[in-house]
Amino acid sequence: MSQTTPTPDIPKPSIPKPNIPKPNIPAPNVNRTADSAPVSMVEMGAMEAPVKPAPEEEIEESQAYDYTETLLPQRLLAGVIDGAVAFALVWVLGLVLPDFLNRFPYGIFIAYLLFKDSLPFLNGQSVGKKVTKIQAVAEDGTPLTKDITKGIIRNVFVAIPILAIVELFILNSREKTPSKGSRLGDDFAKTKVIEVKETASQTTDAAE
């Protein structure tokens, strides 16, 4: 019989485990309650939420005025109607207050002609201009109810009969010039007359 050689008893090597510290990740500082929704990735800081640009403010379009041919017949008709209204006021006042009319026979007549384009209850239109759908405004489109002085200055030239004839001649002579539609009263008061269209928001320049 052969004799077996005993195997040596070799101890197993002792290898120490590596001492690797755990990473210290701070918790997100988000105030949440038990019933609130879970923290999103944006709140965790993984990504930044895209910033949506604020919408541009809508600029309200103001009324636009288009320069057109002079509407001299409209302005003449408006002048005739306003003259008739002024005479009617004098006649009515003569029936109601005869003594006042005897002292100031043309006071109401002239007063209406001076203030006719600044009447607040007609939105800055005289009776004649209301009928013919035109309006006297400042050069920037502001109604003369906000600047009564402009209305008085422009109408001084038509409240006096001789000047009214001169104004008519000037309007007619400027028909084919860059100053078309502008009379002396408009030049001094810095005003213009526009045509008011009730069916559209756009207004066009007219002439008186």
Side-chain angles (χ1 to χ4, degrees):
M1 293 180 62
S2 62
Q3 189 178 355
T4 61
T5 304
T7 58
D9 188 10
I10 301 173
K12 294 180 179 181
S14 177
I15 301 174
K17 295 181 179 180
N19 187 13
I20 302 175
K22 294 181 178 181
N24 186 14
I25 302 175
N29 186 16
V30 180
N31 296 327
R32 293 282 181 174
T33 60
D35 297 333
S36 61
V39 180
S40 64
M41 294 298 292
V42 174
E43 294 173 337
M44 290 292 292
M47 59 180 295
E48 294 182 358
V51 180
K52 185 178 182 181
E56 297 181 357
E57 296 182 0
E58 295 182 359
I59 300 175
E60 205 174 293
E61 294 185 359
S62 58
Q63 284 186 330
Y65 303 114
D66 291 334
Y67 287 91
T68 58
E69 294 183 359
T70 304
L71 301 179
L72 188 57
Q74 278 182 281
R75 298 185 70 165
L76 291 178
L77 179 58
V80 171
I81 294 175
D82 287 329
V85 171
F87 277 114
L89 290 175
V90 173
W91 179 74
V92 172
L93 190 61
L95 296 178
V96 178
L97 299 172
D99 294 336
F100 178 83
L101 188 60
N102 291 333
R103 294 180 182 179
F104 307 98
Y106 300 104
I108 297 299
F109 181 86
I110 296 176
Y112 174 77
L113 293 182
L114 292 177
F115 291 93
K116 63 187 177 67
D117 293 324
S118 307
L119 300 176
F121 53 87
L122 290 179
N123 297 323
Q125 287 178 281
S126 67
V127 176
K129 288 184 175 63
K130 195 77 173 179
V131 173
T132 56
K133 298 180 181 181
I134 59 178
Q135 182 179 9
V137 296
E139 288 184 341
D140 60 354
T142 305
L144 297 184
T145 52
K146 298 182 179 180
D147 195 343
I148 299 177
T149 304
K150 287 183 178 293
I152 296 175
I153 293 174
R154 78 179 304 273
N155 289 325
V156 166
F157 292 83
V158 295
I160 302 174
I162 296 178
L163 292 180
I165 296 174
V166 174
E167 289 283 56
L168 180 60
F169 172 78
I170 291 175
L171 278 176
N172 186 62
S173 63
R174 289 181 173 180
E175 278 291 286
K176 297 181 180 180
T177 67
S179 300
K180 177 178 61 177
S182 178
R183 56 181 178 82
L184 291 179
D186 294 317
D187 295 341
F188 280 91
K190 306 298 181 184
T191 57
K192 61 183 179 180
V193 176
I194 60 173
E195 182 182 9
V196 181
K197 293 183 178 180
E198 298 180 353
T199 57
S201 60
Q202 185 179 7
T203 56
T204 58
D205 275 358
E208 175 175 333

